[in-house]
Amino acid sequence: TFPGLHGSRGWGWEVWGIGVSGDTLYSGGDDCVFKAIDTRSGVSIFSNTKEHSMGVCCISPEPDNHVLTGCYDELVRRWDTRNPHVPIHSCSVGGGVWRL
């Protein structure tokens, strides 16, 4: 469980994907938002509302501050969470990305 998130209202639409790395919960969903929340406090670390043009379906944290996101827009994006404003790489896979 994530006590700092109990009762949080940080999501406006359905959440489709989550990933956890240490004390950080990454989420994405129907609202096209990729966000990170500190699970200890429930405080938002970042919220990217500009990059995904369709719903974020899956999230996979990687070592060294990197996270992958998959989206209905057929792109897999790799992020450096220290600068979550733009992905460091993206790749079209020719269909919606449901799993990574």
Side-chain angles (χ1 to χ4, degrees):
T1 66
F2 302 106
L5 296 179
H6 183 71
S8 290
R9 296 181 178 223
W11 295 270
W13 297 62
E14 273 189 57
V15 174
W16 290 343
I18 62 166
V20 177
S21 179
D23 294 320
T24 305
L25 178 122
Y26 300 97
S27 69
D30 204 19
D31 57 2
C32 308
V33 177
F34 169 46
K35 63 172 63 178
I37 294 177
D38 184 314
T39 59
R40 296 164 296 185
S41 65
V43 173
S44 177
I45 298 169
F46 67 79
S47 182
N48 182 305
T49 61
K50 307 245 186 246
E51 186 63 34
H52 295 92
S53 62
M54 296 178 155
V56 181
C57 301
C58 52
I59 297 174
S60 180
E62 296 186 311
D64 300 326
N65 299 304
H66 291 126
V67 176
L68 297 173
T69 59
C71 184
Y72 263 137
D73 66 6
E74 304 182 359
L75 293 173
V76 173
R77 293 172 177 87
R78 187 170 194 218
W79 302 84
D80 184 328
T81 59
R82 296 166 294 188
N83 181 17
H85 305 293
V86 294
I88 55 175
H89 182 75
S90 63
C91 176
S92 177
V93 295
V97 183
W98 289 94
R99 279 185 274 182
L100 292 169

